[in-house]
Amino acid sequence: QVQLVESGGGLVQAGGSLRLSCAASGSISSIGEMNWYRQAPGKQREVVASITRAGSTNYADSVKGRFTISRDNAKNTVYLQMNSLKPEDTAVYYCNGDVWVGLRLKNYWGQGTQVTVSS
């Protein structure tokens, strides 16, 4: 059973920082392109940041310069460093990505972790 398990969410004041982690576990060979999404109450889920296996990154305009996505392929783990947090960053953050299970590539979602930024 493959799982993506997020951790690191919580409550922080505006201007603060949090670091999210997403660890892939189970019978996996490796992880491919990975993404962080978020969904605020009453809004659609949106992609925040993406990273390829080689390390190329993309960010939503709203987080450029504040968030950094990174990965440790040896640990099958992806991170999201969030700095200068704003109240509008409040959302449930989800890890998503492609995981190699043997010779099969499948897409998985984590269960989500709540990030709340107070003003």
Side-chain angles (χ1 to χ4, degrees), residues 38 40 43 46 66 86-91 93 117:
R38 67 185 180 187
K43 294 189 176 181
E46 62 175 356
R66 300 188 299 121
K86 305 175 181 180
E88 51 264 43
D89 294 318
T90 295
Y93 283 71
V117 184

Side-chain angles (χ1 to χ4, degrees), residues 39-82:
Q39 187 167 20
K43 294 189 176 181
Q44 287 189 330
R45 191 173 295 188
E46 62 175 356
V47 62
V48 174
S50 301
I51 186 167
T52 67
R53 182 164 176 82
S56 296
T57 59
N58 277 295
Y59 298 92
D61 288 343
S62 59
V63 307
K64 279 181 182 176
R66 300 188 299 121
F67 290 11
T68 302
I69 188 171
S70 61
R71 63 192 291 154
D72 185 334
N73 289 333
K75 296 181 178 180
N76 291 321
T77 300
V78 180
Y79 306 96
L80 186 67
Q81 178 68 44
M82 304 185 294

Side-chain angles (χ1 to χ4, degrees), residues 7-13 17-20 82 85 89-91 93 113-118:
S7 60
L11 174 64
V12 65
Q13 288 189 330
S17 298
L18 284 173
R19 189 192 194 208
L20 306 183
M82 304 185 294
L85 282 161
D89 294 318
T90 295
Y93 283 71
T113 185
Q114 177 70 46
V115 171
T116 303
V117 184
S118 62

